[in-house]
Every structure is written in C-alpha cells, then in structure tokens.
Amino acid sequence: MANALTILVVEREPHVRVLAAHFLAAAGHHVELAADGVEALEMVRTLKPDLVLCEILVPKMDGLALCRQLKATAETRHILVLVVSILAATSRANDAGADGFLLKPLGQHRLIAMVQNLIEKRSSVSPQERS
C-alpha cells in the first residue's frame, strides 16, 4: 500500500485493541499496541509512529492528555492523532489538538476511511504548515 503507515493503537479493552489492529493491518498498515497512555508515550519515543489511534478512557494517562502532550512537543507534534471514544467528545478531542475523532463502536470501513482522510489531509499541507 502506497500510503501504509505505522500506527500505534492505544486502547484499554484488549478485544477492541486487537480488532482495531486487525482492521488497520488488513488495510496494509504496520500496527503496534499499547494498553495505557504512559506505555503509549514511551512507545511513541522509540517507534515514531505516523498516527496514534487513542481511546479517551485509557488508564495512567487518558487519551486527551496523551494527545495534548504529543501536540505540545516539537518532536511529536507532526504525528497524526485520531481519538476514539464511546463518549460524544468531538469538541474535547479538538481542544486537545486531535487531528480526528471517531465515535465508537469502531467499524472497519469508517476507521479506514478516517485514517485515509487524515493521510490525504496531511499530504495536502505543506511541511512548513505542519511545524
């Protein structure tokens, strides 16, 4: 896949984590998994993913705090962040700096379409605008 990404899935529920990984891997992406926000932040430093798919209600550091931290740091602000939740929290995700928001449950087609949309949106932005 020409637009294959490295994606870090941060989700507290193991079955949802595996399901999201399955959907993303089937679309040709390389997927890594984290169960909480602290683990995800550590993984981001070494993995340097293109996109972080993060559930809001993850333990240790919630998904919105993780998003804020990623977007506030020069080394990680370019990473796309897609926040997912059972909560209707689009405005909270936007306020945290998320690049996108999806309401759960995650459907394969909606998830892949959103990821593709974020890829296209990022590629239409100049490198100067991303900084």
Side-chain angles (χ1 to χ4, degrees), residues 105-122:
L106 293 179
Q108 182 172 6
H109 298 294
R110 277 188 330 124
L111 175 59
I112 300 308
M114 177 60 92
V115 168
Q116 187 62 36
N117 179 282
L118 292 175
I119 295 167
E120 290 169 4
K121 190 165 121 181
R122 179 177 69 179

Side-chain angles (χ1 to χ4, degrees), residues 7-70:
I7 300 175
L8 176 61
V9 174
V10 188
E11 167 63 55
R12 73 183 188 282
E13 297 292 335
H15 67 280
V16 176
R17 200 167 44 238
V18 170
L19 184 63
H22 172 75
F23 291 162
L24 294 164
H29 301 295
H30 173 76
V31 182
E32 296 288 336
L33 305 173
D36 64 64
V38 172
E39 178 186 18
L41 192 57
E42 291 169 5
M43 289 180 74
V44 163
R45 291 184 181 122
T46 56
L47 182 63
K48 300 188 182 356
D50 299 294
L51 185 143
V52 174
L53 179 130
C54 186
E55 214 279 332
I56 289 178
L57 301 173
V58 291
K60 298 186 182 177
M61 176 191 298
D62 73 60
L64 296 176
L66 175 62
C67 181
R68 277 189 220 88
Q69 188 148 353
L70 292 175

